[in-house]
Every structure is written in structure tokens, then in C-alpha cells.
Amino acid sequence: MRIPVDTVMVQQRAASFTRRSIKTKSKLQGLLLALSMIDLTTLEGKDSPEKVRSLCRKAVSPSEVQHDPPLPSVAAVCVYPSLVRVAKNALADTGVRVASVATGFPSGQYPIEVRLNDVVQAVEAGADEIDMVINRGAFLSGCFEEVADEIARVRVACGAAHLKIILETGELETLENVRAASNLAIRAAASTGPIEDGEVFIKTSTGKVSPAATMPVTLVMLEAIRDYYEETGVRIGMKPAGGIKTAKQALHYLVMVKETLGEEWLTPRLFRFGASSLTNDVLRQIMKQHTGSYCAAYDFSEA
Amino acid sequence: MTTNAQPDVAGWEYSPALESTKVTIEQKNKLFIGGKFVTPKSRSWFATTNPSTGKKLADIACAGKADVNAAVASAKAALPKWSRLPATERAKYLYAIARRIQERAREFAILETMDGGKPIKESRDVDIPLAAQHFFYYAGWADKLEYAFPGAKPSPIGVCAQIIPWNFPLLMAAWKIAPALACGNTSILKPAETTSLTALRLAEIFQEVGLPEGVANIVTGAGDTGRILAEHKSVNKVAFTGSTQVGKLLMRETAGTGKKLTLELGGKSANIIFADAAIDQAVEGIVSGVYFNQGHVCCAGSRLFVEESILDEVVHKLKHRLSSLRVGDPLDKNTDLGAINSKSQLDIVKGYIATGVKEGAQLHETTNQRLPSRGYWCNPCFFTDVQPSHTIAREEIFGPVLCVMTFRTPEEAISRANNSPYGLAAGVWTDKGSKIFEVAKKLDAGIIWCNTYNKFDAASPFGGFKESGYGREGGLQGLRPYVQLDTALGRKN
Amino acid sequence: MSRLTVAKTYKLYIGGSFQRTESGRSIAIADVKGNTAAHMCHASRKDFREAVEAATKAFGAWSGITGYLRGQILYRMAEMLEGRREEFAAAIQVTGSITPATARKEVDATVDCLVRFAGWTDKFQQVLGCANAVAGNFYNFTVPQPQGVVAVIAPETPSLLGLVSLLGAPLCAGNTTVVLGADANPIPTAILGEVCQTCDVPAGVINLLTGSKKDLLEHVASHRQVVGIYAAPLGKKERVIIERGAADSMKRVRFAAMQGDDWYDGSRVSSPWNIEPFVEMKTIWHPSAC
């Protein structure tokens, strides 16, 4: 289902969200919301159990400073499959979910059996959510059925775990490809059975390819979600990942979600930020709202 | 985890985000003649109000015949020296003016919003930057006119009377003064009655950069002031932006006088969306086409032609998009649509809306926002079931009102679009390149926006076909109205 | 016994064919000796209206063909005129105030004038139009396009060169034309129709009327289908009639300021800035991104 998308006008509309001025009460509200939507992420070759435990502590209590009322936890922690068990133990009874990348993240260039096994093992280790990557090589060479088929098989392998489908928009390059891939991914997931709100997400990027998430790419994906909702009444979730480092940017994204999809999507159940350094910048802004002055970098623990 | 029910989310309202910088305004604003601010000999003043509050902002001098005479005399006296200045020196004055506008950008933007009602977001991001760009662009042409008119020996015309409207006050002043001065002419500008303040502040910049006295004059006043100015014997050229009705009046008044005349008048521009367009972006284009600046735009895409097969989809998406437009205090940075410029304009717009309903079109009001009780406000709206013969489809409304009509084939779209005495602009939305070129070629309009709308630039010529006027502003072609050439039309024509 | 000559009847040239004025009126043209040289049609406002209809109908095709083809047609017009050099020279001298040498010089200059305009048809766009460097991701260019039906009001003298000098500008750009020929000597105007008929210029593109220009001025000025007027120097009273009448439909009006030898200044006559008033500048924007 290929529809035309005009890049320059998308850029113009995306830029218009950045001109909204979010102040005072609405700013604090937005910052708290953004914090609760973060998937705190570590996806490095050198990740180790202690690193993940440290991340999980941060995820549950992002700020050392006492707040009244207390700050929310982030939405989830996102790790490689081999560290899911560590994260699961560290986050037991906290309400913070465990998301695992799978399907041969980030490239996905492995036989389908290996990719599916990756999913199965991550789910068995206790992952609540699976972030998969689509087959970009197949997509860009026009093998759309193959791409859709693989997504369907991954959803089945997820069982009860929620599925986030990473399009890797930096490799898709054009907004038309992003829109087509969004449509394809949603319908492929739907082909295996009904979708509850938030059970399936589409996600921009792995964070390993530049450019990662951008406002224009996200807008196109939000529009795909909106049109799908109009058609079916099902709310698909959305996650921009990589490249969102500042609270200001996060607020722009929230404006974009509100004005494109409506306030129903302003919940971690339907929208996430894939980020790590964003957390501390959000905390700084929250502190500024409360105290009136800016914190130093060392005022917050590292993730 | 509940299934497909409404998630429990509290709403996220934007808090007020008022522009906080204060701008001082003179209580009594004088005329700018011969490089100085002078009291009007007419001893007459009129009030200017903030249309978002209805409150008076200041008094403005109302120039009478003696004042106009003084301004013209001043411009005439300044002409020999100014036109004989080495062209690069003229350029440097204009560059300096551009720079000053940029430096005082915030102040100008706030003043523009207070005086005219447009959102601060527009004044700040569109009007003031484009005004600065216009001076910067034409500064660059001042010493290169031989390349614009090779072999035709370009020379200045002389004293230019320039009359502008209230929809883009500072920008229109820039569109008039910059090319006039770049080509070695002198100018008397008559701002619109409801929006004089930014033009007068521009005069402060003329003083600051040391622009020679009399080169640019500002005479404020009402319609009569403009008429007296245009009819003045010593005026060599008249440039007018405003209604078609007044444009025709000026043509008749200047007949036989040898005065050069350029006109930039009304429009009822067609915005055409084909089924193979990028539809979400086309909807964005519809919105920026007709609701930008509250619809107070001569080139507004006020007649929407949608290919019949996508009508429902477009109307649905348009409604959704309009629901996020915010109407309110123009000084709030989150306001998308500000106040209507005046009570009289609001009455005109409301009158057309009523007529539309009476003639049988279907009105869709788009926002349910509570409008402020004071000031002049109109919620953006659109009509469907519009026939080409309806009044609202033929006459220029100049407000946030869109007429939606359909077509089946490109020929039909073109024919309907061209069926108007106006011909200012048009929009074409399709992903097919060859169709873009063909439709653009056949539309009788001076600006064709393809897969975009309401884009302006100092380098891009702007002006109409047919009764939308003649002459161009902007670009190389925008120099022509301000030079005399040596051709069959005369040694200096 | 001397042979009786078969005198030519001069008709109006409208919509590609010769026809008498619907009014039936005529004007006698006297020759040098005071004898009646010819009876010319005295065109009425209905003739003018018919000519405008013909020109309107012809505009789509004339403006739609390539500049190259238009140029070839104008060049052929020059060829046909060159071929009838002697006839035109004789026609110019009929009313007697022009010497044979001057008449021939006038015809030569007319041919050259057509040649110059023939060369402009696919080039004026490059001189008057351009690409514009706007500050954004947009491809932006300005193209000149013909306007529609342009009325040409020829000067009294030179009766052939003046007409063609004014005609050439709107014509080469793709406008269709209705010409009011000189009053005192309309014969070159009438014969020009024969040149038009033989040179492949499509019917209605050039329409030639004779009679009394004064009678038709108001109608020229007020006919809303006429979009432009290119007139020879006229008195102030006539200028006012034209400029006032033009206001209603916002016609683009220009008066040539040529006299005497000015008409022989080829580069001034064929300057692209004489074409410019009879084209509309259309600026086209398109975003540029993958």
C-alpha cells in the first residue's frame, strides 16, 4: 500500500510542532509524562550484569533528590536477550517492564530460524516486550511478502509479550518507504490475530544507524497509526528511538503526538521514548521548574 | 490491562505562553517627512486600536493635502542627489536597513501583532524575517541594474507614491520601499489606516542609518490621504496593493497623466488536489493556504477543488487538522489564528458566512474554542456543497473561510479554476510530475504553488494575471516597475 | 486601345478570410492626383467584436504551438512580404507623400523587422524569465506567458512599418491580435492580409481592420476580452479614452513613443522590453526532496 508523501511539507509540519511554547504547569506535566515514557536502554557489546543492575536501579528511581509527590519510574528497561534474566530479577515487583531486543538486533542479517529462536529465548527469560527489526534488505528489494511474513511469525513467537517493530528508518531513507513499511508492519502483525491497544508498536530505529528518530519520520509513522485507528478502532503504539537527547525535544514529540493522534496516546501504554541520556535532561528540567535554577551534570547519577 | 477502552489519561492543555517583552508606543505618532517626524499641518489625528482587545493603542497623524504636498516636495527635492549617488552607496543604505530590522526583530514583531492582530508566531517567523530579506535582496540589485535590463539603459522613474494594505504592514512597506530605493527613486509610503505603527518604526531605522532626508517618507492617514497622494502632479509612479475596486479607480484617475502604475489586488485563488497527491501534506497545504494570517492574504487558496474520489477523505482529514488550530490572544506564542484586523472586516467575513448558508452551502465550523469576549474574532470554517455560482465561491472574503468544490478531470479543474476575473495564485497537488507542469502551464495565475502553498521569498516575483493586477514584486521582474527603459515605448518608459 | 485594369477591392481580414464590413460603409482614399485610389472598408464595432472572437478562438492554438514553429511562421511572413516588395512599395506611395526610394526602404525595414521578431519566439523566455534562488528547499522559476488577445493601433506613418513594428511584439510571444490600420493610407494594411493568408499564420491570429481608428477606440478600450493594447503615439484625449476604458478589465496598455526615424531603429523596435508588457510573468514553486 504505497501512498505518496511530500517530504518538504512533512518537514514543515514537523517543524511547526517545535514552535509550540510549553510553559509552567503544562511544562511540568509534560516532563513527568516524558519521564514515565522512557525505555531506559543499554545495548552495547560490553554490557554486563552489573551495568544492567545499575540501569535498573536508575529506571525505578530516576532521581536521587526526594520529590513530593515522588517522580514516576520510567516505563521499561531495554537490553539484549542475554541480560533479560538479570533485568527481570532487578525489576521484580517494581512495575517497570523488561523489553528485549531480538531477531538478530541490530542488523537482522541472520537466518530466520536464528532470529525466531532469539525471540523465543528472550521471552522464556522473562521479557515483557520484544523489540524486533524488520528485514530491510528484503523490503528495499521489493520482497514485501517476505517482510510481512517474518513479522507475523515473530508476533506468534512473542506469545503474550508485546511486540515493537523497528523499521530502521535511517536505512529506509525516504518518507514514502517509512509510510509503506509502517502500513506493512501494522497489517502483518494484525494478520495473526486481534491487537489490544498498545500490544503492538512501530518503532523508528535501532539507534545504531544515523539518522535515528527524527520529527518528520515520526510524524509519518503517527499518521499511519492514525489512519489505521480510523479504519479499525485499534490503537497501535509508537516509539521513536535514538537521537532524542533533550527534554525540549521530548516535549516537541509529545506536542506532535497530541496534535496528530490526540491525548489518548499520551500514555506509556501507547508511546515510548527509546533513550538513555534523555533521562537526566528531563530531571534537570523538572528541578528547574521546582527550584528555579539549573542543576549541574553531576547532580544526577549516570544510568 | 483493559482492551481498546479509553486509556485513563488526563488531558494535556498548553499553559498560556505570552510574549513578555514590552514595547513602548508613542501616544501621538507624527508623519515622517524630509527625514523628520513632523506634526501634521492638518492638525488631524485618528486612533489606532489593538483588534484583539478593541482597546486604543495610540493616535496617528492624519495627513491632509498640505502634508501630502510637503512629502511629495521632499521626495522630489531628494531625488537628484539620491539618483546620482553611486549605486553601491544606495545599496549600502538598504543593507543597513535590513540589518537594523533583524536587530530590532522582536520589537517589530510584537508591534505588528499588537497593531494588526496577527499571531506573534507569524510576525516573528514570517513577516519580519521576510521584510529584512526584501531589503537585503534589493540592496544587492542596486548596482547591477544593467544586468537586469541589458541594452535598455535603465534609469530611475522619480517620485513614487506607494499605498499599502493592513494584512502584512511591515512586509508590504518593505516590498514597496526596497525596490524603489534600489533603483534610485524616492518614495512616499501611505500605510493602511488600521496599521501604521511598524511603518513609522521603520522610519526610525531610516533615521538611524542616516538615509538622506526625503528619500523615504511616511504619510499616515485614511483613504483620502492615499487618493490625494496618488493624484499629486509631481508623483511619477503609483504602486498600490489593495482591493481590485480601488485598483480600477486608480487606473481611471491616472489615465492620460503618463504616471506609471502597478497594482497588486485581490484574488480568489484555486487550490487543486488530485487523487494522486500526498494527501496528508495537501491538507497541511490547504490549512496554510487559507487560514494563515486569518485568511487576510490576497493569494489565499480560498477555493478548494478536490478530485471527487477523495472528497470524503480530504474533508475528514481537514476537520481533524483544523481541530488543532488555536484561535486566541495573538501575543500567545501558541496561537495559530489571531484577531480579525478590524470590526468592519469581521462584519464583512460574517456577512459572507451568512450568505453562504443562505445560498445553500453546508457550513462546517471547526473549533469549539471559546473566543475572547473583547476584540474581533472568527473561528476558521469551511463550506461544502458549494456551487461555482455561489457568492462565496466568486467573491473574495478575506477571512478564514474556505469553499470546497469538486472536479473529475484535469481539464475540468483547470477550467473551473480559471473561471474568475481574478488570477493571483493557484495551488496544484499531485505526485505526477508531468501533470504538475501541464496544469501549472494552463492555470491563469501569476504564482503557481505546486505541492506547497503560501511560500514567499524576496527573490520570487509575486503578482497577478487579469483583475488581480499587473506588475511584479520580488525577484528580477520586481525591478521593472521601478526603472525607465529606452525602447520603442520611449527613451524613458 | 488601352486595357481596363481590374481594380482590387480591399476587404477586412478577419478569422483568416477576407470580408466586407458588416456596416457596408466605406471610406474613399485619394491618390496623389486627387483621384479616388480605393474605397476602404470602414470597420464597425461589430467587425471589431467579430475580430476579437476570432482572435479569442485562435489563442489556444497560437500560444500552444512551440516557439520554434511560431518563429518559422513569422519568418515565412517575412518571405511572403519580401516577395511582394514592389506591390507594397507602390501601396505605401498611393497617398503621395512618400518617395519611391523611401517606400522601398520602408518595405525592407518591415521585412527585417519581421525577421527580428521571428527570432524572438523561442528566446524571449530566456531573457525575460529566469530561475529564482529562493531561500528554501524549492525549485522556483519565472516563465513569461502570452496573455490573450492584444489590440494593436498602428500609427499613421509609416503606414506599413509602424503597423508591423507594433504587431511583432505581442505576436511573437504567442498573443493573438486585432489591428487597427492607419486611416490615411490603409492599403498596406489591407494587402498585409494577403501575406497572412499565404504564410501559414493560423486563422484569427492576425486580424486587420481599416476605417477610422477614432471610431473604434472606445470599443477597443472597453471590450473585456481584449487583454492588452499596444498603440502608436496618440493625443492626450485618445490616451485618456483608452486608459480609462482599460480600467474595467485591467488591460495592459502601452503607447509607443516613436517618431520619424525612430521606426528604423531595429534594436529599439524589437527590444524584448516591448514584448514584456504583453506577457504575464508566472512564478512556479515546487519542493525539492526525495
Side-chain angles (χ1 to χ4, degrees), chain C residues 67-140:
Chain C
Y68 181 28
L69 186 51
R70 250 194 323 272
Q72 290 181 77
I73 291 172
L74 289 187
Y75 188 77
R76 187 158 177 75
M77 200 168 158
E79 289 174 352
M80 293 299 118
L81 218 153
E82 178 87 52
R84 290 163 174 256
R85 220 163 147 254
E86 295 309 318
E87 184 184 356
F88 272 100
I92 287 169
Q93 292 172 72
V94 161
T95 50
S97 39
I98 312 231
T99 68
T102 309
R104 258 178 267 126
K105 180 173 153 216
E106 186 179 331
V107 178
D108 290 349
T110 306
V111 171
D112 291 354
C113 177
L114 275 170
V115 169
R116 275 191 210 98
F117 279 116
W120 267 129
T121 57
D122 55 2
K123 300 172 193 73
F124 73 89
Q125 300 85 337
Q126 295 166 315
V127 172
L128 298 181
C130 54
N132 304 306
V134 294
N137 268 15
F138 292 94
Y139 186 47
N140 178 308

Side-chain angles (χ1 to χ4, degrees), chain A residues 8-77:
Chain A
V8 173
M9 187 53 96
V10 170
Q11 289 168 342
Q12 181 178 313
R13 180 59 177 139
S16 74
F17 301 119
T18 69
R19 296 191 302 159
R20 289 290 188 224
S21 183
I22 308 302
K23 298 248 179 271
T24 59
K25 182 165 158 229
S26 58
K27 184 169 186 179
L28 186 58
Q29 213 183 338
L31 290 168
L32 293 171
L33 189 56
L35 186 60
S36 74
M37 289 168 161
I38 293 175
D39 280 2
L40 203 52
T41 304
T42 183
L43 293 167
E44 317 235 294
K46 61 183 181 181
D47 284 342
S48 66
E50 268 309 299
K51 163 77 183 175
V52 171
R53 281 187 206 109
S54 166
L55 190 78
C56 290
R57 276 190 287 275
K58 177 93 178 160
V60 175
S61 295
S63 171
E64 293 61 47
V65 179
Q66 292 301 336
H67 286 257
D68 184 30
L71 296 183
S73 306
V74 305
V77 150

